[in-house]
Amino acid sequence: MSKIKRSKVMIFDVFCILHKVFLCGPYPHWIILSTSGQMRFHPMGIDSRILAFSPFNNPNCSYGGFIYCNVDYEFRICMLAKHLSYDSPWPLRKVPLKHTPHFVVYHQETKTYIVALSTGELSAKICRVAGDEKEFIDEPKDERFPLPMRENFSLHIFSPATWEVVPNAELEMEPFENILCLKVVNLSYEGARSGLRGYLAIGTNYSYGEDTTSRGRLMVLDVIEVVPEPGQPLTKNKFKMLYQKEHKGPITAIDSVVGFLCATVGQKVSRNF
């Protein structure tokens, strides 16, 4: 009995904007021709081998519905995600922040993303430092005086389930404090089998002006799980401050070495925590 020949390339012209072709076989791929004429290849590794594929039009799958058969002869009905853009090397989703992003790191223990953001504002405030005392003064300026832009930095937790900011969990930096580095470092922890645990390390700089010696602050934070607020399931994660110390210089780089935290303070390297 002769085998039935099946086409390995299936046309999937559901949308008029992008032309799509699905490649069946042991390494299934989506092949997309973008509006600029570039070819985009997106692998689909949910099932190892795809035997058959066809578009599927249904009221429940109104946007990019399709059906396929895997190597176990199981039929699966799927739908392309509406919020993703496939006209890129990777499927892309844009999340509006309404802030300026500077750093983003992934916290493995809580499976969340920590993002350092800043917002700019016109400010006539200056800081006068006398020893360890700081005095913030608002200098009166004429309404036609061009005020400088001052950045206000903060840390936020993003949940990958909804890609929304976890409410009531942000950490505001002090006035004139800029975040220079943010990294997840593996520090010594007796409760883990490996003896290490991931923490958030932050290095900052106080930009008070050219007449004041630059100083910085080193912080170590942990993202913990708490009881969420009623009706707000995303509030289960909070920041917890474990260590902070001011240094006589900006903290420009941080990393972990054999369970210890090393940071560059000005022109020196110090071991902390």
Side-chain angles (χ1 to χ4, degrees):
M1 181 176 175
S2 60
K3 296 183 178 179
I4 299 176
K5 294 183 178 181
R6 302 183 181 92
S7 176
K8 299 296 183 182
V9 179
M10 302 298 297
I11 299 176
F12 191 72
D13 275 343
V14 177
F15 313 106
C16 59
I17 299 177
L18 299 177
H19 299 284
K20 301 181 182 66
V21 172
F22 187 82
L23 179 63
C24 302
Y27 305 100
H29 276 70
W30 288 92
I31 304 175
I32 300 174
L33 179 63
S34 65
T35 54
S36 60
Q38 296 181 348
M39 300 292 291
R40 306 294 188 184
F41 296 87
H42 300 302
M44 193 176 76
I46 299 177
D47 290 310
S48 60
R49 185 182 180 90
I50 304 299
L51 301 180
F53 175 92
S54 175
F56 184 77
N57 296 324
N58 187 276
N60 298 324
C61 300
S62 59
Y63 186 94
F66 60 92
I67 183 172
Y68 68 89
C69 177
N70 59 17
V71 70
D72 297 326
Y73 296 98
E74 296 176 348
F75 287 88
R76 302 184 186 274
I77 300 175
C78 307
M79 184 175 63
L80 293 177
K82 297 181 181 180
H83 56 271
L84 294 180
S85 173
Y86 301 95
D87 190 5
S88 58
W90 289 83
L92 180 66
R93 177 182 178 181
K94 292 184 178 180
V95 179
L97 298 176
K98 299 181 180 179
H99 297 77
T100 302
H102 295 270
F103 301 96
V104 54
V105 296
Y106 179 68
H107 192 256
Q108 179 67 34
E109 281 73 13
T110 58
K111 295 180 175 55
T112 56
Y113 289 88
I114 314 301
V115 185
L117 305 175
S118 70
T119 56
E121 66 171 353
L122 298 176
S123 175
K125 182 181 295 186
I126 63 173
C127 180
R128 294 179 180 175
V129 181
D132 295 334
E133 297 182 358
K134 304 174 185 178
E135 182 183 4
F136 297 99
I137 302 174
D138 288 326
E139 286 195 346
K141 298 293 183 181
D142 186 76
E143 60 181 8
R144 300 179 59 186
F145 184 84
L147 296 176
M149 182 71 68
R150 183 168 62 88
E151 298 289 336
N152 298 320
F153 282 77
S154 58
L155 278 182
H156 298 265
I157 305 176
F158 276 80
S159 172
T162 59
W163 291 110
E164 296 179 356
V165 179
V166 175
N168 304 325
E170 64 274 3
L171 178 64
E172 300 287 343
M173 298 293 108
E174 296 181 6
F176 297 93
E177 185 179 18
N178 299 340
I179 298 178
L180 300 184
C181 49
L182 171 66
K183 192 173 183 179
V184 174
V185 292
N186 295 319
L187 303 180
S188 299
Y189 179 68
E190 297 180 355
R193 180 178 300 178
S194 62
L196 300 174
R197 191 178 187 275
Y199 296 94
L200 292 174
I202 308 168
T204 68
N205 172 50
Y206 293 100
S207 301
Y208 293 137
E210 59 183 7
D211 297 331
T212 305
T213 304
S214 180
R215 300 177 65 90
R217 182 165 61 137
L218 179 63
M219 293 174 284
V220 177
L221 299 142
D222 192 12
V223 182
I224 60 175
E225 292 189 1
V226 296
V227 178
E229 299 178 7
Q232 294 182 329
L234 294 180
T235 58
K236 65 177 182 179
N237 296 116
K238 299 285 186 181
F239 285 120
K240 181 180 179 181
M241 183 73 69
L242 301 178
Y243 172 84
Q244 63 174 331
K245 182 180 179 181
E246 288 194 10
H247 291 268
K248 296 180 180 179
I251 312 298
T252 56
I254 48 180
D255 207 340
S256 56
V257 180
V258 199
F260 294 97
L261 178 62
C262 293
T264 57
V265 182
Q267 300 179 353
K268 299 180 181 180
V269 178
S270 64
R271 192 190 75 175
N272 301 269
F273 202 69

